[in-house]
Amino acid sequence: MSRDFPTNVAAALIADHVATVTFVKLEFSSGTLYLHNSIGTYTWGSQNWLGVGDLGDISAIEEGAEVSPYKITLSLSGIDSTISNAALNEDYYMRPVTLYIGALDANDDLLANPTEIWAGFMDQMNVSLGAEKGDDIALIAESELAKFDRASNRKYTDANQQTAFSGDLFFGFLKDIEGAKIQWGSPGNEGTAGRGQDRHHTEYENPRMHH
């Protein structure tokens, strides 16, 4: 898909040489982590984004014309206690993940606020503690399109509807019509829906027919 990059960023991205930084926002239930794959700390969007040692590598981002739940893998290395605690103790499943890309000038400053390039949800987190190079996490995230392939596990009942939309009457009379047999156009039937012959039928004579 096309990206709405600022003019100066778009020009930098098509140049022969360009320095870019990828930013990742991980929205855990206890708080949001703001990371990037460069060195130091960048401040934008009223947030401080922490550099390498927290976010190590990002797999290639796939896109296509068809509706497909593309995945990405985020490799977090040299993690601190904040990230490791989130990985080990929090229910991270289906928590939001957002990726941004920014371009740098000759002084390694951002040319503009980074642009969102991918959004999805945390799916699987593999943790390796005490590894040779420190603690590592491989976070697999699915794109938002994965929702199309995932069952909602909703039931078409009034009780289930009330948990989501209290007071809604959409399924309120479902139990009353369960097993009902509707015979369309059957005369003299109390359960008839539609119209076969009217029970109270009035005949009108045309006076022109009588001489």
Side-chain angles (χ1 to χ4, degrees):
M1 73 179 65
S2 60
R3 306 295 178 193
D4 188 18
F5 291 109
T7 303
N8 57 343
V9 174
L13 292 175
I14 62 175
D16 292 335
H17 301 282
V18 59
T20 62
V21 179
T22 303
F23 297 83
V24 178
K25 180 168 65 173
L26 304 175
E27 300 181 52
F28 290 100
S29 57
S30 64
T32 301
L33 299 180
Y34 301 89
L35 313 172
H36 68 81
N37 64 344
S38 187
I39 299 173
T41 300
Y42 285 97
T43 301
W44 62 273
S46 302
Q47 301 294 338
N48 293 323
W49 302 72
L50 306 179
V52 72
D54 290 329
L55 174 63
D57 188 37
I58 301 173
S59 65
I61 297 175
E62 296 182 71
E63 288 186 339
E66 70 275 9
V67 177
S68 179
Y70 296 106
K71 296 182 179 182
I72 63 170
T73 300
L74 308 177
S75 299
L76 314 177
S77 60
I79 56 179
D80 60 20
S81 59
T82 301
I83 300 176
S84 61
N85 287 337
L88 294 173
N89 302 318
E90 292 198 38
D91 183 9
Y92 60 83
Y93 184 64
M94 292 300 291
R95 299 297 302 176
V97 178
T98 311
L99 270 64
Y100 308 82
I101 190 169
L104 305 177
D105 61 17
N107 297 318
D108 289 334
D109 294 324
L110 287 169
L111 292 174
N113 279 351
T115 301
E116 180 179 329
I117 58 171
W118 192 90
F121 304 91
M122 303 181 199
D123 180 51
Q124 182 178 345
M125 192 176 295
N126 301 317
V127 182
S128 176
L129 301 178
E132 182 179 348
K133 296 182 180 180
D135 299 337
D136 294 312
I137 293 177
L139 172 61
I140 300 173
E142 289 186 334
S143 73
E144 292 180 335
L145 294 177
K147 288 183 177 179
F148 290 101
D149 287 344
R150 184 175 288 109
S152 65
N153 294 323
R154 291 287 306 277
K155 296 180 180 179
Y156 297 111
T157 64
D158 182 60
N160 191 273
Q161 185 74 356
Q162 295 307 314
T163 60
F165 306 99
S166 179
D168 186 84
L169 301 178
F170 190 82
F171 293 114
F173 301 98
L174 189 63
K175 63 180 182 300
D176 296 330
I177 63 174
E178 184 178 358
K181 296 181 180 180
I182 301 176
Q183 299 174 340
W184 186 269
S186 176
N189 191 310
E190 292 296 332
T192 298
R195 181 175 181 177
Q197 295 181 356
D198 292 336
R199 296 196 183 95
H200 303 288
H201 180 69
T202 303
E203 296 183 357
Y204 295 93
E205 295 184 353
N206 188 339
R208 294 182 181 179
M209 298 298 293
H210 299 274
H211 298 283

